[in-house]
Amino acid sequence: MSTSPEPLVFPPDFLWGTATAAHQIEGGNINSDWWVFENKGDSSVAEPSGDACDSYNRWEADLDLVASMGLQSYRFSIEWSRIEPEEGRYSFAERDHYLQICKGARARGLLPVVTFHHFTSPRWFAERGGFEWSEAPERFARYVSFVAETLGPEIALACTINEPNIVAFMGYGFGAFPPGIVNDFERVRSVNATLLEAHHQAVTALRNAPGVFPIGLTLSMAELIALDGGEEARDDFQEMMEDCYLRELQDDDFIGVQCYTRFFFNHGGLSLGSPGTRSTPMGYEFWPNCVEATVRRAAAMTGLPIVVTENGVSTTNDQERIEYLDGALRSLHRVLREGVDVRGYFCWSLLDNFEWAFGYQQHFGLVSVDRSTFVRTPKPSADFYGSVAKSRTLGGAPRWRESS
Ligand code: FCB
């Protein structure tokens, strides 16, 4: 008789959630730099964000979905360009909008995890030079203070800047994000430094705000593997993308790890995917085990508690999403068992949404969204993930095997 493997049990206080970002779901963020970037005649973005998921109006339905899945937390972001559409002109009404979302989450038993910058900046800020402007850190911190004045008491966990390394790399190295500059790695490095300073100033602003909540930044990480001769290229990439941040976060309360895949390096540099590996529509290798490698490295380098603030997969085959999440949670369980201090996991994403340069062509959601009626329909993966979260247990045989 075959016996089922022991179920994997997660700690009782482990936080289960799902994440979104304002520009990817709200719609109509006309005052942001991304809106300008998407709508330029020669834009490289697949399609503009337009109405997105209309979550600016439908946020209550979104919170209902998160609660009905049995999760305990919702990570969302504040759109700076709504709060400060013109330099120095702050909107009390927009701040109240986000306060209502925090309160709405709490009313449904969900802990609000608030991100203050998720890739988008106001147009006026971009015109001043964005995170190349010497006053950028201070201006960002000023906006953060204004928001936290009223939201502070409601916040469960604050993320200052989402993936600053991606803002710098995609904006100045790869050119897929505003301002669309390619191969200027000096600027990538200096924008990284300014973003880090903006983070530090935001931490101070949040510590001076009402409320008591852990504060950290969320970093894009990947399992980075050097093949023969690829060590130097791997180390350079790791320094520019990860270590220059990880070394400087000791005074934070946690670090948010966000990971989707692994990358290989050979003597020629980064080699996307290896022949024969399974890949996803993002062009990433299907590699849920990236969770343990990234979490281990973030913990070892920072000594901070970890929250996996994003992990997931783009696929139109929802069984494949279940397979990915199953693999990722097993990977997460292995690091927990090693004693690494991981406090929570947030699946990216609640909704199929605007995936930046890819437009609506990627499907990361646990819930699909009709593009003209905005009707939300949970997928089987929402049930799967919700039932793991509710029972804090992952049973059955692994659905993903490395050789498959
Ligand atoms: C991360 C971003 C998030 C989403 C996922 C797929 O880099 O933080 O907004 O685009 O990737």
Side-chain angles (χ1 to χ4, degrees):
M1 209 175 75
S2 71
T3 52
S4 315
E6 283 288 298
L8 304 182
V9 180
F10 290 83
D13 53 352
F14 192 80
L15 196 60
W16 297 95
T18 182
T20 60
H23 191 68
Q24 293 180 272
I25 62 165
E26 284 182 345
N29 277 323
I30 56 174
N31 293 315
S32 82
D33 59 343
W34 259 89
W35 188 272
V36 177
F37 190 66
E38 290 151 35
N39 287 291
K40 274 192 317 205
D42 61 346
S43 175
S44 55
V45 178
E47 58 196 312
S49 56
D51 291 324
C53 305
D54 194 29
S55 288
Y56 186 78
N57 299 307
R58 295 169 200 258
W59 59 269
E60 289 178 284
D62 294 345
L63 291 177
D64 288 342
L65 282 164
V66 182
S68 68
M69 284 167 58
L71 304 181
Q72 296 125 24
S73 183
Y74 180 53
R75 174 175 175 236
F76 64 98
S77 77
I78 313 275
E79 179 58 39
W80 182 5
S81 66
R82 289 186 187 268
I83 300 284
E84 192 181 358
E86 294 293 337
E87 185 174 354
R89 302 208 182 274
Y90 295 94
S91 167
F92 294 95
E94 295 289 2
R95 179 172 72 177
D96 189 61
H97 170 82
Y98 293 106
L99 178 61
Q100 296 315 316
I101 299 181
C102 290
K103 290 190 167 168
R106 295 254 182 210
R108 290 164 178 82
L110 301 170
L111 295 174
V113 175
V114 176
T115 304
F116 284 86
H117 187 279
H118 196 125
F119 292 169
T120 50
S121 299
R123 286 176 189 228
W124 64 263
F125 179 82
E127 281 158 17
R128 294 269 196 179
F131 286 97
E132 294 197 288
W133 181 29
S134 57
E135 289 177 37
E138 187 197 323
R139 297 309 171 103
F140 175 63
R142 205 152 82 181
Y143 139 75
V144 170
S145 287
F146 174 76
V147 172
E149 241 170 56
T150 60
L151 267 69
E154 302 293 331
I155 295 175
L157 208 69
C159 309
T160 55
I161 303 178
N162 181 72
E163 299 188 349
N165 52 343
I166 293 297
V167 174
F169 181 74
M170 287 294 179
Y172 299 87
F174 200 70
F177 281 20
I181 290 159
V182 184
N183 284 339
D184 195 338
F185 294 103
E186 270 318 300
R187 282 166 91 182
V188 172
R189 289 189 184 87
S190 82
V191 170
N192 273 337
T194 310
L195 281 158
L196 193 56
E197 174 58 22
H199 163 69
H200 289 318
Q201 292 199 23
V203 172
T204 305
L206 289 167
R207 290 210 169 121
N208 290 328
V212 181
F213 44 84
I215 307 163
L217 69 67
T218 67
L219 196 67
S220 170
M221 295 184 71
E223 184 174 348
L224 302 174
I225 300 169
L227 302 172
D228 242 6
E231 290 79 4
E232 200 182 325
R234 194 270 315 272
D235 293 352
D236 287 353
F237 186 85
Q238 194 166 278
E239 172 61 29
M240 180 178 70
M241 296 302 288
E242 301 185 358
D243 295 1
C244 66
Y245 287 97
L246 293 173
R247 268 200 309 271
E248 306 291 336
L249 303 176
Q250 279 70 17
D251 293 336
D252 292 1
D253 303 314
F254 76 96
I255 162 119
V257 169
Q258 315 203 149
C259 56
Y260 291 88
T261 191
R262 65 177 171 179
F263 297 127
F264 292 94
F265 295 80
N266 55 30
H267 52 267
L270 176 65
S271 92
L272 265 186
S274 315
T277 57
R278 176 173 166 192
S279 87
T280 72
M282 287 289 280
Y284 296 161
E285 183 185 345
F286 186 97
W287 188 252
N289 278 352
C290 62
V291 173
E292 61 193 288
T294 51
V295 164
R296 263 188 214 115
R297 230 171 71 72
M301 279 202 64
T302 63
L304 296 172
I306 309 281
V307 179
V308 178
T309 38
E310 282 184 26
N311 172 251
V313 67
S314 170
T315 176
T316 49
N317 171 357
D318 198 52
Q319 289 308 312
E320 187 168 62
R321 186 180 337 279
I322 293 176
E323 191 187 344
Y324 184 96
L325 293 175
D326 181 86
L329 296 176
R330 286 173 198 279
S331 178
L332 176 65
H333 196 266
R334 286 194 282 276
V335 270
L336 280 165
R337 220 166 32 207
E338 282 166 21
V340 180
D341 185 5
V342 191
R343 307 276 174 98
Y345 174 90
F346 288 72
C347 176
W348 183 270
S349 178
L350 174 65
L351 305 173
D352 281 343
N353 60 38
F354 176 71
E355 180 48 40
W356 309 110
F358 293 94
Y360 294 95
Q361 314 308 315
Q362 302 292 336
H363 300 88
F364 278 95
L366 297 164
V367 174
S368 68
V369 180
D370 184 288
R371 298 243 34 81
S372 54
T373 63
F374 307 106
V375 168
R376 280 109 162 101
T377 310
K379 304 177 190 177
S381 55
D383 283 347
F384 167 78
Y385 179 55
S387 64
V388 176
K390 278 184 281 200
S391 62
R392 303 183 178 286
T393 303
L394 183 60
R399 295 169 195 245
W400 173 71
R401 290 192 175 77
E402 288 180 27
S403 55
S404 63

